[in-house]
Amino acid sequence: MDALGAVLAGTAGAAAFADAFVLQGVGRARAPDAPPVAPPRAALLLERLALALPAMDRARAREEARARRLKVMRQMPGLLDILTLGLSAGLSFDASLELYCSRFDTELAGVFREVLLTWRIGIAGREEALEGVAERLDVAAVRRFAAAVSEALAFGSPLARVLEQQADVLRDEQRSEVEEEIEKVPVKMLIPLGTLIVPAMLLAILGPLVAPALGTA
């Protein structure tokens, strides 16, 4: 259990203990026909916190998955380039993939190192292993790569050219995303400009003009 799970367990236990303590105390103090007394605010806050922590944990997991997908997207062009060079030099697909995994220490290289070992020792076939890693990473570029490799190895079509085209398309997509982020920067700057800079400028300009009028009044 990670730190957040430990906090959740401790918080839930504390809330339960607080409720039991309050109910026991209230049961001893009030008469049998008296109306029920609401638990104190601290116990309610603890209960709400215990309910909110799982949602925070899920949000953190989604953010980590998103960051991992972005990292894989940035590393995919390097993988495609190395495979294209290896295949163009006469190496097999397995040898080209092993070349990438041995020369690079990235998250994507670690994933494909495990996948390469999977079909080498016979746990799964090459096509099945590639489909599995595509589902695990949940990245469209990896799915296209797995489909292209499976099709090329099954029908004997040239794979180097297909991977080169995929690398070009992926770089174009990444370039478009960067351009979109750059175009959003001026819009995002309007918020601090309108809330901080413009009022300060108006105060600096109008302050000396308004101060004498206020003084005479």
Side-chain angles (χ1 to χ4, degrees), residues 33-154:
D33 56 346
V37 181
R41 184 174 299 177
L44 294 177
L45 291 176
L46 287 174
E47 290 180 356
R48 292 176 182 176
L49 180 60
L51 294 175
L53 284 175
M56 295 170 58
D57 196 8
R58 289 192 296 268
R60 187 188 66 174
R62 288 194 298 267
E63 185 63 26
E64 290 177 354
R66 178 179 176 274
R68 187 183 186 189
R69 286 195 296 269
L70 292 176
K71 187 183 298 184
V72 169
M73 284 288 293
R74 290 194 298 267
Q75 296 170 0
M76 275 298 295
L79 168 65
L80 297 175
D81 289 341
I82 295 299
L83 291 178
T84 301
L85 291 175
L87 293 170
S88 301
L91 297 177
S92 64
F93 173 77
D94 291 4
S96 302
L97 184 59
E98 184 178 7
L99 178 65
Y100 171 79
C101 295
S102 61
R103 296 297 180 89
F104 290 86
D105 188 16
T106 60
E107 183 172 358
L108 188 62
V111 171
F112 277 102
R113 195 178 296 116
E114 296 176 359
V115 174
L116 183 62
L117 182 62
T118 298
W119 72 64
R120 279 188 171 177
I121 63 179
I123 296 178
R126 184 184 289 105
E127 182 177 356
E128 182 182 355
L130 290 174
E131 291 177 355
V133 74
E135 291 295 330
R136 184 174 63 178
L137 295 178
D138 193 19
V139 177
V142 181
R143 290 195 182 96
R144 293 197 299 264
F145 166 75
V149 171
S150 300
E151 182 179 353
L153 296 179

Side-chain angles (χ1 to χ4, degrees), residues 210-217:
V210 177
L214 295 177
T216 57

Side-chain angles (χ1 to χ4, degrees), residues 182-200:
I182 293 175
E183 292 175 356
K184 292 178 182 178
V185 170
V187 179
K188 295 179 180 179
M189 288 297 296
L190 292 177
I191 299 176
L193 181 65
T195 57
L196 299 176
I197 301 177
V198 173

Side-chain angles (χ1 to χ4, degrees), residues 152-175:
L153 296 179
F155 297 101
S157 57
L159 182 58
R161 180 59 181 168
V162 176
L163 296 182
E164 184 179 359
Q165 293 175 355
Q166 286 191 0
D168 295 337
V169 171
L170 188 56
R171 286 193 173 91
D172 291 338
E173 292 177 355
Q174 292 177 355
R175 189 180 300 109

